[in-house]
Amino acid sequence: MIQAGIIGGAGYTAGELIRLLITHPEVEIQFVQSKSQAGKKISQLHTDLLGEIDLHFVPYPDYIDLDVLFLCLPHGEARQFIAQENLPERLKVIDLSHDFRLKAEGNNFVYGLPELNYSQIQENSHIANPGCFATAIQLALLPLAKARLLDQEIHVHAITGSTGAGQALSQTSHFSWRNNNVSVYKAFTHQHLGEIRQSLQQLQPHFQSAINFIPMRGNFSRGIMATAYTSVDLDESQAYRLYRDFYAGHPFVFITHENPDLKQVVNTNKALLHLSKYEGNLLIISMIDNLLKGASGQAVQNMNLMFEFPENCGLQLKAVYF
C-alpha cells in the first residue's frame, strides 16, 4: 500500500482524484492540502464524497512517509511549489498543471501521455500530466505522426464541458451564461498547442505543418469531443489498421467504426476514436472525459505505471447514460 498526498485539493481535478484514490486497492490518501479550506472536512467541499472520506484539509503537510505527490495547483504555481519545497528525492511527483509539459533546460519531468511515453513514465519519478484538449487531439493524430504522414495542414475543432475551466467562477462559467450557449475562445492560440506539436515532432521530427485549432465552450459539464482532419494518402481500411496497430496493448483507447457520442466516455478513462475518409481527407473523431482521461484519471494511470501496478487498476469506471 502506497501513501499519496494531494496539493491544491479544492478544485475539480483534485475532487476527481480523491474519488479515484479512495477506492484504489493499492493507495491510501495520507493528506489533502488546501490553505483556503484548511480545517474543513473534505466532504464539505467535495460533497459527492459524503460518507466516503473522513479526512480534513490540511494547510502544511508532511512528506516524510509519502510515496507519491499529486500537484493540482493552478498553472504557474506548481513550478513555484517545486522550487520552494524541500521534497524528498525518492518522492514521485505527478503535476496536473501546464508548468512542466514543455521541454526546457532543467526540466526533469517526463510528459505523461502513456500512449506516447509508456516506458519513460515507468522509469521516471517526475511526470507532467497532459492537458485535456491536448490528450484528445494527440490521440487523434499520433498514429499518423508515427507513420510520418502529417505533411499537410491539420484542422481541429473541439468542444469542452464547463468543468474544463476549473471551479473558480468567471463570466463564462456561470450557469445563466453557459446554459443553452456555445462560444469559441483562444482560436489558433490555445496553450495546449505547444505540447501537441512537441509530441507530434517526437514521432515525426520534421513535422512543421500548421495546426488550426478552434476550441469551443460547450453547454454541458464534462467531456471533450474533438474532430481533426487532414489530407492523408490512406484509404479508410488502411487508416483503421494503422490506428489499431498503434494502440494495441493500450487499455483505454478504443477504435470504433460506429460514430461515437460523448456519453460513452463521460465518467470513464476511455478515449474513443472514429475514422472516416472524405475524398483526400481523413477525419478523426476523438472523445474523452476532460476530468478523467484528460486529467485525474490519466494521473492515476501514470501513477499505476510508475509503481508497476496494472495500468487500469482503480480505473474500471462505467459510463453513465441516464
Side-chain angles (χ1 to χ4, degrees), residues 288-314:
I288 64 169
D289 185 314
N290 60 292
L291 290 178
L292 287 168
K293 183 57 175 165
S296 303
Q298 188 148 251
V300 172
Q301 187 181 352
N302 281 319
M303 178 198 71
N304 287 340
L305 294 177
M306 296 168 82
F307 286 94
E308 299 183 351
F309 302 145
E311 191 173 353
N312 63 351
C313 190

Side-chain angles (χ1 to χ4, degrees), residues 231-263:
S231 178
V232 175
D233 188 19
L234 292 174
D235 63 32
E236 196 168 292
S237 63
Q238 291 172 323
Y240 269 101
R241 191 177 311 116
L242 177 70
Y243 275 69
R244 288 201 177 97
D245 289 346
F246 185 91
Y247 289 114
H250 293 288
F252 293 111
V253 181
F254 297 88
I255 316 300
T256 175
H257 281 276
E258 303 297 325
N259 193 358
D261 60 77
L262 202 55
K263 282 191 174 183

Side-chain angles (χ1 to χ4, degrees), residues 261-273:
D261 60 77
L262 202 55
K263 282 191 174 183
Q264 289 176 269
V265 298
V266 169
N267 197 50
T268 80
N269 203 53
K270 292 179 182 178
L272 296 187
L273 300 177

